[in-house]
Amino acid sequence: MEEQVITYQINGRERTFHARNADTMLYVLREKLGLTGAKPGCLNGDCGACTIEVDGKVMKSCLMLAIEGHQKKITTIEGLHQTPIQEQFIENFAFQCGYCSPGFIMNCHALVNQLPNASDSDIKEWLESNMCRCTGYKEMEEAVKATIKKMQ
């Protein structure tokens, strides 16, 4: 299968590589770029373990073809550095095994940036797009609320 040359602005750095037209963003991130924070979970867009930001919008990287990211700004969990939401996930014990945490953190990071006055129902709605099988969502809700409070 023929490969295309693709360039991303990923985590603040330009990266150029070859990928097949059928390669998913998740595959390229993990296997070609060594960015393993986005996790393979369901591989059909249900669980959110592979959540990333593309041009500031959350995306499930298992549903996106790598070629769709050409010339776009992509942020993965590796591109976040001590953001308020990461700190609040730690302070509020908003994780258990940690497998789903990168996806939730990416989703919640976008939430607090896009909806700085998010209501309880907004927070619940955003959290519904990701799944955690180990723990409840209460601690994650509290982490988001604490982040929003700190940012005001």
Side-chain angles (χ1 to χ4, degrees):
M1 185 176 263
E2 190 174 320
E3 291 190 341
Q4 304 292 324
V5 176
I6 300 172
T7 301
Y8 296 157
Q9 183 68 23
I10 190 156
N11 298 331
R13 219 174 117 207
E14 187 170 293
R15 301 283 301 265
T16 300
F17 55 93
H18 290 82
R20 297 175 309 137
N21 290 338
D23 287 342
T24 64
M25 178 68 76
L26 178 62
Y27 171 80
V28 166
L29 290 173
R30 294 181 60 81
E31 303 300 326
K32 296 217 176 229
L33 301 177
L35 299 169
T36 58
K39 305 291 187 224
C42 65
L43 299 177
N44 65 9
D46 290 333
C47 75
C50 66
T51 302
I52 61 171
E53 279 189 11
V54 179
D55 287 340
K57 297 185 191 249
V58 287
M59 285 289 300
K60 293 175 181 174
S61 61
C62 71
L63 295 178
M64 182 178 181
L65 292 174
I67 199 159
E68 292 178 284
H70 183 59
Q71 300 293 339
K72 296 198 172 160
K73 181 182 174 192
I74 297 166
T75 306
T76 68
I77 191 72
E78 292 91 346
L80 299 185
H81 301 285
Q82 296 178 318
T83 62
I85 193 67
Q86 289 172 297
E87 292 170 5
Q88 289 305 315
F89 259 63
I90 293 166
E91 286 186 31
N92 286 278
F93 304 102
F95 52 86
Q96 193 163 336
C97 84
Y99 193 83
C100 66
S101 297
F104 270 106
I105 290 170
M106 292 303 299
N107 192 36
C108 292
H109 176 72
L111 165 60
V112 299
N113 287 324
Q114 292 176 28
L115 293 174
N117 297 312
S119 66
D120 289 351
S121 63
D122 291 330
I123 295 167
K124 286 178 194 250
E125 182 179 336
W126 276 64
L127 288 175
E128 286 176 359
S129 71
N130 291 49
M131 285 176 35
C132 176
R133 293 189 170 129
C134 296
T135 189
Y137 292 67
K138 188 68 178 160
E139 292 84 359
M140 292 181 219
E141 289 178 33
E142 294 305 317
V144 171
K145 289 176 188 177
T147 301
I148 289 170
K149 187 174 181 180
K150 270 189 153 180
M151 293 173 68
Q152 292 178 341

